[in-house]
Amino acid sequence: MTGIFVWWLLITIMGLAVVPIAFRVFPFLPDRGYAFSKPLGLVLVGLLTWWIGQVHFSVLTILLAFGLIAGLSYWLWVRSAAEFRSLLSERLGLIVAVELFFAVLFLLFCWFRMYNPDIIGTEKFMDLAFLNSLSRATSFPPPDPWMAGSKFFISYYYFGYLLMAILLRLSAVAPAVGFNLSLGMLFALAGISTFGVLYNLTRRLSAGFGGWALIYLIGNLDGFRQVLATKSIASFNWWTPSRVIPDTINEFPFFSFLLGDMHPHMLSIPVVMLTLGFTLNQLKSMNREPNFREPEQLATTLLWGLLIGALGFANSWDLPTTFGLAGAAFLLQQLRFKPRLADLPWRQWGLGLALMLGAMFVPYLPFYFHFHSQAKGLAWTTQNTRLGDFLLLFGVFAYLGLTFLLARYHAWFLAVLSRPQAASGEGKAAKAKASRFCPQCGHTLREGKRICGQCGYQTAGGGSEQESSLLLRPVEETPEWLRGLFLFLLQPVARWRQGRGAALITAGVLAAAVGGALVKGLFFSTPGNPAPVFLGIMIFALAAATLLLFARVDKPETVFALLLLATALALFMGCEVLHINDTFNPPLDRMNTVFKFYYQAWFLLGIAGVYGVFWTWKYSLRHANLKVVWLSGLALLLAASLVYPYAAAGVKTNRFATLPTLDGSAYLNQAYPADRAGIEWLRRSVAGNPVVLEATGGEYTDFARVSTFTGLPTVLGWAGHELQWRGNYDEPGRRIPDIDTLYGSSDVAATQALLDKYQITYVFVGTLERQKYPEEALAKFTQLMDVAFEHPGGVRIYRRR
């Protein structure tokens, strides 16, 4: 409980320290960025610590970084103290709700993790090894714990681990406890930042809390399918719903946190939400012209780029998506003020993106200088997704997104088809009865009235300049080409006969023909590959969502939701055509591509879907029967999606029957009691980063336990992971026979030469080493080294003389 309190206190202080910064860079959000303050504070402290840490890293380094950030905030506070006090006073209720929600999330997950704490299985060894190595590092880049040597640093996007290592180092808790505290902190930071996006999107606490639950607490529908197939919940397999699409990984947030592998795709969630907050803030901006000579616009743009760049450092898969959203947000925000695409400030847009690109990469050059990736570019995919598998994964969000699009198009079609029709007669009375349809909700809107009686929105034309820019525009302000396209979709024969839009229609038919030929050539030529029905649906849905982005009638929040929806559809479509070419060969060639981009799409679709519920309920579904049908479908899907969390949580925690603890190494007391004693001696007694030799073995086994639980570098940990991180097997392939010689040979001279070659200070001889190598060969270390630690259970640690 002390560790939980200390971590909560640390992140609270960091969050409060950057509230003035958040208020300045999120001027157009209802909460002024308060919900983002904790992740923002941790990221800024982490980045400054990392830059200073290129020279030296310690607790003092962290405190210096915090002091500099807090000093900047204090300067901002002094300049606008009255304004900030007013903002805090006006939002006091929201601030209390945010703080309580964060504390509940942190405590809730720490309690849950107490019943599932073990750092064992899948890739938890890798995560703890990175966390330990970073917490022991004296400068950056940090040493690779599984590949000792002055030239070998962690070749992985490790920024998320560094953020947790900073809290670990400040709190001085045991690393195996800090690992589980990190998962709890990550769950709370991800949750509160997602809440921030949803609240600022809807201005409703219910949408923030309910949307968080929808995104983080439901499972995919494969859990329900499994129960239907087995007719039992007792033997539930919590793992298989993460492997729905053959030869790929299909994680979702509840599964990820249940599994407890603290990987970059999870560690980056709070930073992704921060960038989405900037995207929404930009879309709501009242700046009619980008002006990067204005200090606040420049600072906001650079900080936005810095955070997107941090994603390249934390989980590089997120960088292109968030940068694309930023570029689109700049253009769509300006489209509110410019009637034509040709009128958009393209030069300023390019300058803004250039500034962001500079902030995304220049500050992170020290990381890229030492980073080696397994990625070798892009390649055509050899596999495709079946529609049924996609619906098992995203059935709930697909339902919400589809109904949102349908409701939005229904209102739009009514508005674009209608022309104010005067009643018979003349004069003011007849003119007052003229009507059309509201382009927001499709309700009848009397001519001359600016307020829609159904949704309460106003059409542009009245009020101040600031008010009118946020008001709903009439259909007449939509670009002519888009109105023509929609009219053609609604009345194709009539429009063709009128000769209107013929060029557009011809181009569309040709594009469809070329696209169909490409699809046929690319996908039907692969034997056994499913027909690209899913790809065709994604192309159609993407086109539908994208067209609405240019309609110029929606308020910024709706544009934001449509932009997220379109981006998710683009990710799905892209995974059907291309994949990142890495070390995995067919049929596993697109495993990581589907894994990482589908994971992003869960959040994008989830946020858009939550807004879709809000929008559809408020502005559509005017008929009671329609509401019942829509709610019934949603309720059934939600009920089916809750089968997984209920069943999986019970199985994974053994029905909460175990003794609760946050110590992830406690299981070693039963599995390897003597080894644990040796590991604890090394962790507590050894300073710096001397090399410790331990036996190497297969992936996903208990080998590499010493380097994992101490953070001390070993000659070689899991060799296959080094291949993935570095893109080649050259160095691991050379080291495996050397380790076999060190442990398995009785040749003292050869052993001494290898001890010198790898600069080994300690040799760990424990349970796995004695199982793998003959005792007579292990005895030679007594001739070369001193015994530094010995345990009656058979563990001996030798130290170089």
Side-chain angles (χ1 to χ4, degrees):
M1 291 304 297
T2 302
I4 292 173
F5 173 75
V6 170
W7 278 51
W8 169 83
L9 183 62
L10 288 171
I11 197 65
T12 299
I13 291 172
M14 288 184 188
L16 292 175
V18 299
V19 167
I21 297 176
F23 280 1
R24 273 288 169 259
V25 298
F26 294 109
F28 303 106
L29 297 187
D31 77 337
R32 294 296 293 266
Y34 187 88
F36 300 117
S37 58
K38 287 179 174 62
L40 180 62
L42 181 59
V43 169
L44 291 179
V45 170
L47 283 174
L48 195 52
T49 298
W50 178 70
W51 291 328
I52 301 172
Q54 302 299 314
V55 178
H56 179 69
F57 175 55
S58 66
V59 171
L60 290 177
T61 306
I62 302 169
L63 295 177
L64 173 61
F66 173 77
L68 292 172
I69 297 296
L72 173 61
S73 274
Y74 179 72
W75 177 73
L76 291 172
W77 177 274
V78 170
R79 291 186 64 197
S80 309
E83 177 192 355
F84 287 153
R85 288 195 190 97
S86 175
L87 290 171
L88 290 171
S89 176
E90 292 169 2
R91 292 160 176 79
L92 184 59
L94 174 64
I95 290 170
V96 171
V98 167
E99 294 297 331
L100 287 176
F101 187 49
F102 178 83
V104 167
L105 290 180
F106 186 41
L107 287 171
L108 178 67
F109 194 83
C110 286
W111 168 81
F112 175 81
R113 192 66 190 167
M114 286 179 182
Y115 293 93
N116 181 33
D118 295 346
I119 304 172
I120 188 69
T122 53
E123 293 182 314
K124 295 179 186 63
F125 268 26
M126 180 195 90
D127 299 320
L128 180 59
F130 284 167
L131 184 64
N132 264 325
S133 177
L134 283 158
S135 66
R136 295 185 69 101
T138 56
S139 65
F140 299 125
D144 186 339
W146 287 354
M147 183 84 81
S150 59
K151 299 186 299 182
F152 296 101
F153 306 102
I154 292 179
S155 182
Y156 200 58
Y157 16 81
Y158 62 83
F159 183 57
Y161 297 101
L162 174 60
L163 298 181
M164 297 300 111
I166 285 172
L167 295 175
L168 178 62
R169 193 131 183 190
L170 289 174
S171 63
V173 301
V177 174
F179 180 90
N180 286 315
L181 287 173
S182 296
L183 287 169
M185 180 58 66
L186 178 59
F187 185 76
L189 288 173
I192 200 66
S193 55
T194 305
F195 165 88
V197 174
L198 293 168
Y199 172 79
N200 286 298
L201 189 59
T202 62
R203 292 177 181 257
R204 281 167 170 73
L205 289 174
S206 58
F209 296 133
W212 167 83
L214 181 69
I215 292 170
Y216 287 93
L217 296 188
I218 69 170
N220 62 39
L221 299 178
D222 191 64
F224 178 65
R225 180 207 58 78
Q226 183 184 149
V227 171
L228 286 180
T230 61
K231 298 181 175 59
S232 170
I233 208 169
S235 58
F236 189 80
N237 187 328
W238 64 273
W239 177 265
T240 55
S242 71
R243 301 299 190 273
V244 173
I245 301 174
D247 303 313
T248 69
I249 299 171
N250 315 127
E251 285 194 24
F252 46 93
F254 189 91
F255 173 89
S256 300
F257 284 102
L258 180 71
L259 175 64
D261 280 10
M262 192 169 58
H263 278 5
H265 64 281
M266 295 168 61
L267 288 161
S268 66
I269 295 172
V271 190
V272 169
M273 294 301 157
L274 269 174
T275 65
L276 293 184
F278 275 93
T279 303
L280 179 58
N281 182 73
Q282 176 64 32
L283 286 169
K284 290 170 67 68
S285 170
M286 298 304 304
N287 297 320
R288 288 183 168 271
E289 292 285 347
N291 180 11
F292 299 110
R293 293 182 179 178
E294 200 274 318
E296 289 199 5
Q297 281 196 50
L298 177 62
T300 299
T301 302
L302 291 176
L303 181 56
W304 192 358
L306 189 69
L307 291 172
I308 295 174
L311 288 171
F313 190 9
N315 183 38
S316 61
W317 300 82
D318 293 322
L319 187 146
T321 305
T322 50
F323 181 62
L325 286 168
F330 271 112
L331 288 182
L332 292 171
Q333 184 265 342
Q334 284 297 299
L335 196 61
R336 285 165 47 203
F337 305 109
K338 308 294 189 297
R340 299 178 306 162
L341 291 176
D343 297 329
L344 292 176
W346 293 102
R347 184 174 299 178
Q348 287 294 98
W349 177 71
L351 176 60
L353 293 189
L355 289 170
M356 294 186 74
L357 283 169
M360 285 164 54
F361 291 105
V362 173
Y364 301 101
L365 289 178
F367 165 69
Y368 289 110
F369 181 75
H370 296 283
F371 180 65
H372 303 280
S373 174
Q374 61 172 312
K376 305 177 184 68
L378 297 174
W380 298 112
T381 186
T382 60
Q383 303 292 322
N384 290 114
T385 300
R386 291 178 172 84
L387 180 60
D389 291 341
F390 172 80
L391 292 176
L392 283 177
L393 292 174
F394 292 98
V396 176
F397 297 143
Y399 177 81
L400 296 179
L402 178 63
T403 54
F404 173 39
L405 273 182
L406 289 175
R408 187 67 199 86
Y409 265 96
H410 172 258
W412 171 256
F413 282 157
L414 283 176
V416 81
L417 278 175
S418 72
R419 296 286 181 188
Q421 299 295 323
S424 58
E426 297 180 357
K428 292 183 179 180
K431 186 176 181 181
K433 293 181 180 180
S435 63
R436 56 181 175 178
F437 291 100
C438 172
Q440 172 72 19
C441 67
H443 193 71
T444 302
L445 185 66
R446 288 292 182 91
E447 179 67 13
K449 293 205 170 209
R450 294 200 307 271
I451 299 177
C452 173
Q454 167 68 18
C455 66
Y457 280 2
Q458 297 173 288
T459 58
S464 67
E465 178 180 310
Q466 180 168 345
E467 290 173 346
S468 64
S469 64
L470 287 173
L471 303 179
L472 194 70
R473 287 184 168 87
V475 170
E476 287 73 17
E477 290 194 27
T478 301
E480 179 62 35
W481 67 268
L482 188 58
R483 276 188 288 149
L485 177 61
F486 281 127
L487 287 170
F488 169 71
L489 293 174
L490 291 166
Q491 303 170 328
V493 176
R495 299 291 288 182
W496 184 266
R497 286 177 177 174
Q498 294 171 7
R500 303 176 67 179
L504 182 65
I505 296 167
T506 304
V509 172
L510 288 174
V514 172
L518 285 173
V519 166
K520 185 176 187 300
L522 287 174
F523 298 99
F524 282 100
S525 59
T526 306
N529 200 35
V533 174
F534 174 66
L535 174 61
I537 293 174
M538 289 302 102
I539 293 173
F540 177 80
L542 175 60
T546 304
L547 285 174
L548 288 177
L549 290 173
F550 294 94
R552 299 183 76 243
V553 301
D554 284 306
K555 63 177 185 173
E557 291 84 354
T558 306
V559 173
F560 177 78
L562 290 169
L563 178 59
L564 296 194
L565 178 59
T567 303
L569 295 170
L571 293 177
F572 292 136
M573 186 182 73
C575 290
E576 296 303 293
V577 180
L578 298 169
H579 70 87
I580 303 297
N581 190 18
D582 52 24
T583 59
F584 295 96
N585 297 317
L588 302 175
D589 52 345
R590 71 174 193 143
M591 179 181 71
N592 278 323
T593 302
V594 169
F595 173 21
K596 297 301 178 72
F597 287 127
Y598 274 41
Y599 200 77
Q600 295 175 29
W602 182 281
F603 292 97
L604 300 178
L605 272 185
I607 294 170
V610 171
Y611 184 80
V613 171
F614 164 79
W615 192 96
T616 305
W617 185 260
K618 184 175 181 181
Y619 303 135
S620 190
L621 303 178
R622 293 192 295 275
H623 302 293
N625 291 340
L626 193 57
K627 284 185 176 181
V628 170
V629 171
W630 182 77
L631 278 178
S632 298
L634 179 58
L636 289 173
L637 286 170
L638 286 177
S641 69
L642 289 172
V643 170
Y644 180 85
Y646 172 76
V651 171
K652 194 73 165 58
T653 60
N654 194 26
R655 305 293 173 189
F656 299 93
T658 56
L659 184 67
T661 179
L662 279 177
D663 183 4
S665 64
Y667 74 95
L668 293 175
N669 289 328
Q670 286 74 43
Y672 302 101
D675 289 37
R676 187 188 186 183
I679 289 169
E680 284 298 304
W681 181 85
L682 284 169
R683 191 178 69 80
R684 296 175 184 275
S685 304
V686 175
N689 284 289
V691 179
V692 177
L693 176 67
E694 63 178 318
T696 187
E699 308 293 293
Y700 309 102
T701 66
D702 295 345
F703 285 97
R705 68 209 182 285
V706 178
S707 52
T708 292
F709 282 94
T710 64
L712 295 169
T714 191
V715 176
L716 184 64
W718 289 357
H721 276 62
E722 290 292 345
L723 164 65
Q724 293 181 48
W725 300 333
R726 301 183 184 280
N728 67 76
Y729 200 70
D730 299 342
E731 190 63 25
R734 284 192 289 265
R735 294 191 176 205
I736 291 174
D738 285 349
I739 295 172
D740 287 337
T741 300
L742 280 162
Y743 276 116
S745 171
S746 298
D747 188 332
V748 175
T751 301
Q752 183 65 60
L754 289 172
L755 290 173
D756 294 338
K757 175 182 178 180
Y758 293 108
Q759 299 181 330
I760 295 168
T761 303
Y762 294 92
V763 173
F764 193 96
V765 178
T767 305
L768 297 181
E769 287 75 19
R770 294 187 186 279
Q771 290 175 2
K772 188 170 182 179
Y773 299 104
E775 192 66 35
E776 56 272 18
L778 297 174
K780 67 178 178 297
F781 289 114
T782 57
Q783 304 175 44
L784 300 169
M785 311 178 79
D786 296 326
V787 177
F789 174 86
E790 190 165 15
H791 189 277
V795 170
R796 183 177 287 181
I797 301 175
Y798 296 93
R799 180 168 49 210
R800 195 100 178 254
R801 288 172 184 162

PDB file of all heavy atoms in Angstrom, residues 345-364:
ATOM      1  N   PRO A 345      -4.983  27.585 -46.870  1.00  0.00           N
ATOM      2  CA  PRO A 345      -3.610  28.114 -46.767  1.00  0.00           C
ATOM      3  C   PRO A 345      -2.583  26.992 -46.895  1.00  0.00           C
ATOM      4  O   PRO A 345      -1.947  26.579 -45.923  1.00  0.00           O
ATOM      5  CB  PRO A 345      -3.597  28.745 -45.372  1.00  0.00           C
ATOM      6  CG  PRO A 345      -4.587  27.958 -44.591  1.00  0.00           C
ATOM      7  CD  PRO A 345      -5.666  27.560 -45.570  1.00  0.00           C
ATOM      8  N   TRP A 346      -2.386  26.507 -48.095  1.00  0.00           N
ATOM      9  CA  TRP A 346      -1.529  25.341 -48.312  1.00  0.00           C
ATOM     10  C   TRP A 346      -0.085  25.608 -47.885  1.00  0.00           C
ATOM     11  O   TRP A 346       0.582  24.727 -47.335  1.00  0.00           O
ATOM     12  CB  TRP A 346      -1.563  24.937 -49.787  1.00  0.00           C
ATOM     13  CG  TRP A 346      -2.907  24.433 -50.217  1.00  0.00           C
ATOM     14  CD1 TRP A 346      -3.850  25.113 -50.924  1.00  0.00           C
ATOM     15  CD2 TRP A 346      -3.480  23.150 -49.934  1.00  0.00           C
ATOM     16  NE1 TRP A 346      -4.975  24.340 -51.126  1.00  0.00           N
ATOM     17  CE2 TRP A 346      -4.769  23.124 -50.525  1.00  0.00           C
ATOM     18  CE3 TRP A 346      -3.039  22.032 -49.239  1.00  0.00           C
ATOM     19  CZ2 TRP A 346      -5.605  22.024 -50.435  1.00  0.00           C
ATOM     20  CZ3 TRP A 346      -3.875  20.917 -49.158  1.00  0.00           C
ATOM     21  CH2 TRP A 346      -5.131  20.915 -49.751  1.00  0.00           C
ATOM     22  N   ARG A 347       0.395  26.824 -48.122  1.00  0.00           N
ATOM     23  CA  ARG A 347       1.780  27.123 -47.762  1.00  0.00           C
ATOM     24  C   ARG A 347       1.961  27.087 -46.243  1.00  0.00           C
ATOM     25  O   ARG A 347       2.925  26.513 -45.731  1.00  0.00           O
ATOM     26  CB  ARG A 347       2.171  28.486 -48.323  1.00  0.00           C
ATOM     27  CG  ARG A 347       3.633  28.850 -48.070  1.00  0.00           C
ATOM     28  CD  ARG A 347       4.011  30.134 -48.779  1.00  0.00           C
ATOM     29  NE  ARG A 347       3.859  30.000 -50.230  1.00  0.00           N
ATOM     30  CZ  ARG A 347       4.089  30.981 -51.089  1.00  0.00           C
ATOM     31  NH1 ARG A 347       4.477  32.171 -50.653  1.00  0.00           N
ATOM     32  NH2 ARG A 347       3.933  30.782 -52.387  1.00  0.00           N
ATOM     33  N   GLN A 348       1.007  27.672 -45.538  1.00  0.00           N
ATOM     34  CA  GLN A 348       1.086  27.654 -44.076  1.00  0.00           C
ATOM     35  C   GLN A 348       0.900  26.243 -43.538  1.00  0.00           C
ATOM     36  O   GLN A 348       1.501  25.863 -42.535  1.00  0.00           O
ATOM     37  CB  GLN A 348       0.019  28.585 -43.487  1.00  0.00           C
ATOM     38  CG  GLN A 348       0.320  30.063 -43.657  1.00  0.00           C
ATOM     39  CD  GLN A 348       1.547  30.460 -42.858  1.00  0.00           C
ATOM     40  OE1 GLN A 348       2.643  30.539 -43.401  1.00  0.00           O
ATOM     41  NE2 GLN A 348       1.379  30.682 -41.571  1.00  0.00           N
ATOM     42  N   TRP A 349       0.044  25.474 -44.217  1.00  0.00           N
ATOM     43  CA  TRP A 349      -0.139  24.069 -43.827  1.00  0.00           C
ATOM     44  C   TRP A 349       1.178  23.313 -43.955  1.00  0.00           C
ATOM     45  O   TRP A 349       1.570  22.562 -43.053  1.00  0.00           O
ATOM     46  CB  TRP A 349      -1.214  23.442 -44.717  1.00  0.00           C
ATOM     47  CG  TRP A 349      -1.461  21.986 -44.470  1.00  0.00           C
ATOM     48  CD1 TRP A 349      -2.073  21.424 -43.390  1.00  0.00           C
ATOM     49  CD2 TRP A 349      -1.098  20.890 -45.331  1.00  0.00           C
ATOM     50  NE1 TRP A 349      -2.129  20.056 -43.525  1.00  0.00           N
ATOM     51  CE2 TRP A 349      -1.537  19.698 -44.703  1.00  0.00           C
ATOM     52  CE3 TRP A 349      -0.457  20.804 -46.556  1.00  0.00           C
ATOM     53  CZ2 TRP A 349      -1.350  18.448 -45.277  1.00  0.00           C
ATOM     54  CZ3 TRP A 349      -0.274  19.553 -47.130  1.00  0.00           C
ATOM     55  CH2 TRP A 349      -0.711  18.388 -46.494  1.00  0.00           C
ATOM     56  N   GLY A 350       1.886  23.518 -45.069  1.00  0.00           N
ATOM     57  CA  GLY A 350       3.178  22.869 -45.252  1.00  0.00           C
ATOM     58  C   GLY A 350       4.189  23.313 -44.213  1.00  0.00           C
ATOM     59  O   GLY A 350       4.977  22.496 -43.705  1.00  0.00           O
ATOM     60  N   LEU A 351       4.170  24.606 -43.876  1.00  0.00           N
ATOM     61  CA  LEU A 351       5.081  25.106 -42.849  1.00  0.00           C
ATOM     62  C   LEU A 351       4.772  24.467 -41.501  1.00  0.00           C
ATOM     63  O   LEU A 351       5.687  24.084 -40.759  1.00  0.00           O
ATOM     64  CB  LEU A 351       4.969  26.631 -42.758  1.00  0.00           C
ATOM     65  CG  LEU A 351       5.801  27.308 -41.652  1.00  0.00           C
ATOM     66  CD1 LEU A 351       7.280  27.019 -41.842  1.00  0.00           C
ATOM     67  CD2 LEU A 351       5.519  28.809 -41.630  1.00  0.00           C
ATOM     68  N   GLY A 352       3.480  24.341 -41.185  1.00  0.00           N
ATOM     69  CA  GLY A 352       3.093  23.713 -39.923  1.00  0.00           C
ATOM     70  C   GLY A 352       3.554  22.271 -39.837  1.00  0.00           C
ATOM     71  O   GLY A 352       4.081  21.829 -38.808  1.00  0.00           O
ATOM     72  N   LEU A 353       3.374  21.528 -40.937  1.00  0.00           N
ATOM     73  CA  LEU A 353       3.820  20.136 -40.937  1.00  0.00           C
ATOM     74  C   LEU A 353       5.343  20.045 -40.863  1.00  0.00           C
ATOM     75  O   LEU A 353       5.885  19.132 -40.232  1.00  0.00           O
ATOM     76  CB  LEU A 353       3.314  19.430 -42.200  1.00  0.00           C
ATOM     77  CG  LEU A 353       1.799  19.238 -42.317  1.00  0.00           C
ATOM     78  CD1 LEU A 353       1.472  18.338 -43.496  1.00  0.00           C
ATOM     79  CD2 LEU A 353       1.212  18.652 -41.040  1.00  0.00           C
ATOM     80  N   ALA A 354       6.029  20.984 -41.484  1.00  0.00           N
ATOM     81  CA  ALA A 354       7.492  20.995 -41.418  1.00  0.00           C
ATOM     82  C   ALA A 354       7.958  21.241 -39.986  1.00  0.00           C
ATOM     83  O   ALA A 354       8.910  20.592 -39.507  1.00  0.00           O
ATOM     84  CB  ALA A 354       8.054  22.057 -42.354  1.00  0.00           C
ATOM     85  N   LEU A 355       7.300  22.176 -39.306  1.00  0.00           N
ATOM     86  CA  LEU A 355       7.639  22.418 -37.902  1.00  0.00           C
ATOM     87  C   LEU A 355       7.389  21.180 -37.061  1.00  0.00           C
ATOM     88  O   LEU A 355       8.200  20.820 -36.189  1.00  0.00           O
ATOM     89  CB  LEU A 355       6.816  23.590 -37.371  1.00  0.00           C
ATOM     90  CG  LEU A 355       7.183  24.986 -37.897  1.00  0.00           C
ATOM     91  CD1 LEU A 355       6.126  26.002 -37.481  1.00  0.00           C
ATOM     92  CD2 LEU A 355       8.558  25.393 -37.382  1.00  0.00           C
ATOM     93  N   MET A 356       6.268  20.510 -37.316  1.00  0.00           N
ATOM     94  CA  MET A 356       5.961  19.301 -36.562  1.00  0.00           C
ATOM     95  C   MET A 356       6.974  18.206 -36.850  1.00  0.00           C
ATOM     96  O   MET A 356       7.426  17.501 -35.938  1.00  0.00           O
ATOM     97  CB  MET A 356       4.543  18.818 -36.891  1.00  0.00           C
ATOM     98  CG  MET A 356       3.448  19.747 -36.430  1.00  0.00           C
ATOM     99  SD  MET A 356       1.797  19.062 -36.670  1.00  0.00           S
ATOM    100  CE  MET A 356       1.759  17.855 -35.360  1.00  0.00           C
ATOM    101  N   LEU A 357       7.340  18.047 -38.119  1.00  0.00           N
ATOM    102  CA  LEU A 357       8.323  17.020 -38.470  1.00  0.00           C
ATOM    103  C   LEU A 357       9.658  17.281 -37.775  1.00  0.00           C
ATOM    104  O   LEU A 357      10.323  16.349 -37.310  1.00  0.00           O
ATOM    105  CB  LEU A 357       8.510  16.970 -39.984  1.00  0.00           C
ATOM    106  CG  LEU A 357       7.406  16.265 -40.775  1.00  0.00           C
ATOM    107  CD1 LEU A 357       7.581  16.522 -42.268  1.00  0.00           C
ATOM    108  CD2 LEU A 357       7.429  14.762 -40.496  1.00  0.00           C
ATOM    109  N   GLY A 358      10.050  18.555 -37.718  1.00  0.00           N
ATOM    110  CA  GLY A 358      11.280  18.877 -37.013  1.00  0.00           C
ATOM    111  C   GLY A 358      11.203  18.497 -35.549  1.00  0.00           C
ATOM    112  O   GLY A 358      12.143  17.912 -34.996  1.00  0.00           O
ATOM    113  N   ALA A 359      10.060  18.811 -34.920  1.00  0.00           N
ATOM    114  CA  ALA A 359       9.885  18.464 -33.507  1.00  0.00           C
ATOM    115  C   ALA A 359       9.736  16.963 -33.305  1.00  0.00           C
ATOM    116  O   ALA A 359      10.020  16.440 -32.221  1.00  0.00           O
ATOM    117  CB  ALA A 359       8.661  19.193 -32.952  1.00  0.00           C
ATOM    118  N   MET A 360       9.292  16.255 -34.343  1.00  0.00           N
ATOM    119  CA  MET A 360       9.104  14.807 -34.236  1.00  0.00           C
ATOM    120  C   MET A 360      10.414  14.032 -34.298  1.00  0.00           C
ATOM    121  O   MET A 360      10.513  12.943 -33.713  1.00  0.00           O
ATOM    122  CB  MET A 360       8.176  14.325 -35.366  1.00  0.00           C
ATOM    123  CG  MET A 360       6.718  14.662 -35.159  1.00  0.00           C
ATOM    124  SD  MET A 360       5.745  14.489 -36.687  1.00  0.00           S
ATOM    125  CE  MET A 360       6.131  12.816 -37.181  1.00  0.00           C
ATOM    126  N   PHE A 361      11.407  14.563 -34.988  1.00  0.00           N
ATOM    127  CA  PHE A 361      12.604  13.757 -35.229  1.00  0.00           C
ATOM    128  C   PHE A 361      13.901  14.348 -34.666  1.00  0.00           C
ATOM    129  O   PHE A 361      14.720  13.611 -34.126  1.00  0.00           O
ATOM    130  CB  PHE A 361      12.760  13.499 -36.728  1.00  0.00           C
ATOM    131  CG  PHE A 361      11.708  12.592 -37.286  1.00  0.00           C
ATOM    132  CD1 PHE A 361      10.665  13.094 -38.057  1.00  0.00           C
ATOM    133  CD2 PHE A 361      11.737  11.234 -37.020  1.00  0.00           C
ATOM    134  CE1 PHE A 361       9.684  12.254 -38.566  1.00  0.00           C
ATOM    135  CE2 PHE A 361      10.755  10.385 -37.518  1.00  0.00           C
ATOM    136  CZ  PHE A 361       9.727  10.895 -38.294  1.00  0.00           C
ATOM    137  N   VAL A 362      14.083  15.653 -34.768  1.00  0.00           N
ATOM    138  CA  VAL A 362      15.356  16.242 -34.326  1.00  0.00           C
ATOM    139  C   VAL A 362      15.634  15.957 -32.848  1.00  0.00           C
ATOM    140  O   VAL A 362      16.745  15.522 -32.503  1.00  0.00           O
ATOM    141  CB  VAL A 362      15.392  17.753 -34.617  1.00  0.00           C
ATOM    142  CG1 VAL A 362      16.631  18.394 -34.002  1.00  0.00           C
ATOM    143  CG2 VAL A 362      15.356  17.995 -36.128  1.00  0.00           C
ATOM    144  N   PRO A 363      14.677  16.151 -31.934  1.00  0.00           N
ATOM    145  CA  PRO A 363      14.982  15.880 -30.521  1.00  0.00           C
ATOM    146  C   PRO A 363      15.256  14.405 -30.225  1.00  0.00           C
ATOM    147  O   PRO A 363      15.837  14.086 -29.180  1.00  0.00           O
ATOM    148  CB  PRO A 363      13.710  16.336 -29.793  1.00  0.00           C
ATOM    149  CG  PRO A 363      13.022  17.252 -30.737  1.00  0.00           C
ATOM    150  CD  PRO A 363      13.326  16.714 -32.094  1.00  0.00           C
ATOM    151  N   TYR A 364      14.876  13.514 -31.137  1.00  0.00           N
ATOM    152  CA  TYR A 364      15.009  12.078 -30.885  1.00  0.00           C
ATOM    153  C   TYR A 364      16.160  11.444 -31.667  1.00  0.00           C
ATOM    154  O   TYR A 364      16.263  10.210 -31.721  1.00  0.00           O
ATOM    155  CB  TYR A 364      13.690  11.377 -31.227  1.00  0.00           C
ATOM    156  CG  TYR A 364      12.538  11.910 -30.430  1.00  0.00           C
ATOM    157  CD1 TYR A 364      11.637  12.817 -30.992  1.00  0.00           C
ATOM    158  CD2 TYR A 364      12.359  11.548 -29.102  1.00  0.00           C
ATOM    159  CE1 TYR A 364      10.587  13.341 -30.256  1.00  0.00           C
ATOM    160  CE2 TYR A 364      11.306  12.056 -28.351  1.00  0.00           C
ATOM    161  CZ  TYR A 364      10.429  12.961 -28.939  1.00  0.00           C
ATOM    162  OH  TYR A 364       9.393  13.466 -28.194  1.00  0.00           O
TER     163      TYR A 364
END
